[in-house]
Amino acid sequence: MAAAIKKLVVVVTVAFVVSTAAPLAGAETHHVVGGDRGWDVDSDISSWSAGRTFRVGDKIWFAYSVAHGNVVELQSKEDYEACDVSNFSRMYSDGIDIVALNGEGIRYFASSEAESCRKGLKLHVQVQAQQKPQTTGLEATNDVSDADVTAAPPTPSTSSPSFTPISYLTLALLLFGIAFTYWIR
């Protein structure tokens, strides 16, 4: 019973943080897999994912009980469809795992327990390109033609992305939720 309450608190905390911070954070979207129920065999993952758009830069969050297995990322559609979880490229085992969608293409996730996978605890994600920013029509025009400008070669960036106040708020709320979960044990 206590484990179920802890899991519920974690999922609700993650859902709250994601739902409040995502609109303020900009273009990236955070998807809590399975919604309020999280990554659980009782969740209808295929219905949850139907109609969702996953884009480069988005993040997917897996919240689950490690007592019921981990999450694996599979290498092929065939392994995904057959629930062959022995040939995985990555295993997630923290109970709350955040996966960045950094490139276009299809990614396959499944429960590390083949029986749970066969019961529907699996997710394929078609990652699409980022949306182009919409223009408002109020942008300034530039009288200089493209032929008049000599472009400098791009400079590689070695720094990591900076944290915004929203990032710190999101991190603080997430850590508070996790600490609260362990406090109520």
Side-chain angles (χ1 to χ4, degrees), residues 5-110:
I5 291 172
K6 286 195 311 188
K7 180 180 175 188
L8 178 63
V9 170
V10 168
V11 170
V12 169
T13 302
V14 168
F16 172 76
V17 170
V18 168
S19 66
T20 57
L24 301 172
E28 76 179 29
T29 302
H30 295 249
H31 305 273
V32 179
V33 178
D36 291 341
R37 297 188 72 94
W39 180 256
D40 187 86
V41 77
D42 294 329
S43 297
D44 187 355
I45 301 296
S46 63
S47 291
W48 171 85
S49 65
R52 284 191 186 273
T53 302
F54 300 92
R55 298 199 180 277
V56 172
D58 289 357
K59 292 180 175 45
I60 53 177
W61 294 53
F62 291 97
Y64 56 95
S65 170
V66 293
H68 296 108
N70 298 313
V71 178
V72 292
E73 186 166 357
L74 302 173
Q75 297 181 25
S76 71
K77 181 178 182 179
E78 293 76 22
D79 289 343
Y80 171 80
E81 289 176 349
C83 286
D84 180 0
V85 295
S86 63
N87 190 24
F88 59 87
S89 59
R90 176 130 192 224
M91 179 178 284
Y92 301 93
S93 58
D94 290 338
I96 297 179
D97 296 294
I98 304 168
V99 179
L101 303 177
N102 294 328
E104 293 179 48
I106 300 177
R107 294 179 68 178
Y108 301 99
F109 301 92

Side-chain angles (χ1 to χ4, degrees), residues 134-166:
Q134 293 186 8
T135 60
T136 62
L138 301 175
E139 289 78 17
T141 58
N142 187 350
D143 293 333
V144 179
S145 71
D146 290 339
D148 295 336
V149 178
T150 305
T155 306
S157 173
T158 57
S159 64
S160 60
S162 61
F163 277 87
T164 64
I166 291 301

Side-chain angles (χ1 to χ4, degrees), residues 162-177:
S162 61
F163 277 87
T164 64
I166 291 301
S167 300
Y168 287 114
L169 175 64
T170 302
L171 181 60
L173 289 172
L174 181 61
L175 292 175
F176 173 77

